[in-house]
Amino acid sequence: MFENPLMLIVIILAVNIVYVSFFTLRMIFTLKGQRYFAAFISMFEIVTYIYGLGLVLDRMDQIENVIAYAVGYGLGVIVGMKIEEKLALGYITVNVISSDPDIEFTRRLREKGYGVTSWYAYGMEGDRLAMQILTPRKYELALYETIRYIDPKAFIVAYEPKQIHGGFWAKSVKRGKIRDAQKEQQEAL
């Protein structure tokens, strides 16, 4: 199987893409506090790593194998990040400042199932409506789209909270209210 140099390059490339994808996912799960799942993934990661590195180290005189290893590493980072984007783990908190405090912003977002805390604020150019919205990451893009639809001039800042405890929002997510509102919105289009 390893007599064909081109086949060996493809194998090294593929093995390293898989290894680095596992590595990226393990790091993400570790950062999200999911230690047992991260440990489980690390078992596959290390086996893949040893296998791929062994293929290259056994043939260090062939520079194309080293290049395939390096390219596979870079592609693995991209693949791992794409997988994580699809999984969309965790939650985000979005702070929104609307230049028009009279827009029925909070009502419209709550109708879609988002938990919104709002207050009136004063900015450099007058009254503002400030809001804090918590949502699962898988609904992040839909939330941005809704915000921009309601107020195209809204100022948006998002970050990932480390810990969430209590409040109205936790119950709504369990009932699937956001998901149901998104389905209704898609059917209306």
Side-chain angles (χ1 to χ4, degrees):
M1 172 157 86
F2 298 130
E3 290 79 33
N4 183 343
L6 187 58
M7 183 58 101
L8 181 61
I9 289 171
V10 170
I11 290 171
I12 290 171
L13 186 71
V15 165
N16 221 26
I17 289 171
V18 171
Y19 154 64
V20 179
S21 296
F22 279 140
F23 173 81
T24 304
L25 289 173
R26 178 185 51 87
M27 289 303 297
I28 291 165
F29 283 117
T30 300
L31 292 172
K32 300 242 183 244
Q34 296 184 15
R35 65 178 65 110
Y36 298 112
F37 198 63
F40 180 73
I41 288 175
S42 71
M43 293 184 304
F44 296 102
E45 172 195 347
I46 198 65
V47 169
T48 309
Y49 170 73
I50 291 169
Y51 181 74
L53 188 60
L55 290 173
V56 174
L57 292 177
D58 287 346
R59 297 159 184 86
M60 281 297 289
D61 58 326
Q62 299 168 351
I63 189 69
E64 60 272 14
N65 295 338
V66 176
I67 293 169
Y69 190 85
V71 170
Y73 197 97
L75 292 174
V77 170
I78 293 168
V79 170
M81 291 175 71
K82 290 288 186 185
I83 292 169
E84 193 279 334
E85 284 175 18
K86 295 292 182 193
L87 293 174
L89 302 170
Y91 302 92
I92 59 155
T93 298
V94 180
N95 289 329
V96 179
I97 299 175
S98 174
S99 58
D100 185 356
D102 296 325
I103 295 176
E104 293 187 15
F105 225 129
T106 54
R107 180 189 59 78
R108 291 170 73 179
L109 289 172
R110 286 182 182 129
E111 283 175 356
K112 293 186 176 292
Y114 296 104
V116 182
T117 300
S118 63
W119 60 94
Y120 289 101
Y122 188 79
M124 189 167 94
E125 296 177 3
D127 290 338
R128 303 282 187 257
L129 176 64
M131 292 165 281
Q132 189 170 52
I133 307 158
L134 185 65
T135 188
R137 278 197 47 231
K138 62 184 171 186
Y139 302 124
E140 180 178 7
L141 297 178
L143 174 60
Y144 296 154
E145 188 177 307
T146 302
I147 291 168
R148 285 193 287 273
Y149 177 77
I150 296 171
D151 183 2
K153 295 179 181 179
F155 177 71
I156 304 169
V157 177
Y159 59 92
E160 283 190 59
K162 180 112 175 119
Q163 183 177 2
I164 300 169
H165 175 75
F168 140 86
W169 191 83
K171 294 175 189 171
S172 289
V173 170
K174 288 180 183 172
R175 290 191 306 253
K177 192 172 180 182
I178 295 173
R179 181 187 64 242
D180 295 343
Q182 272 204 318
K183 284 182 185 176
E184 287 174 14
Q185 183 179 6
Q186 288 174 350
E187 289 171 1
L189 298 175

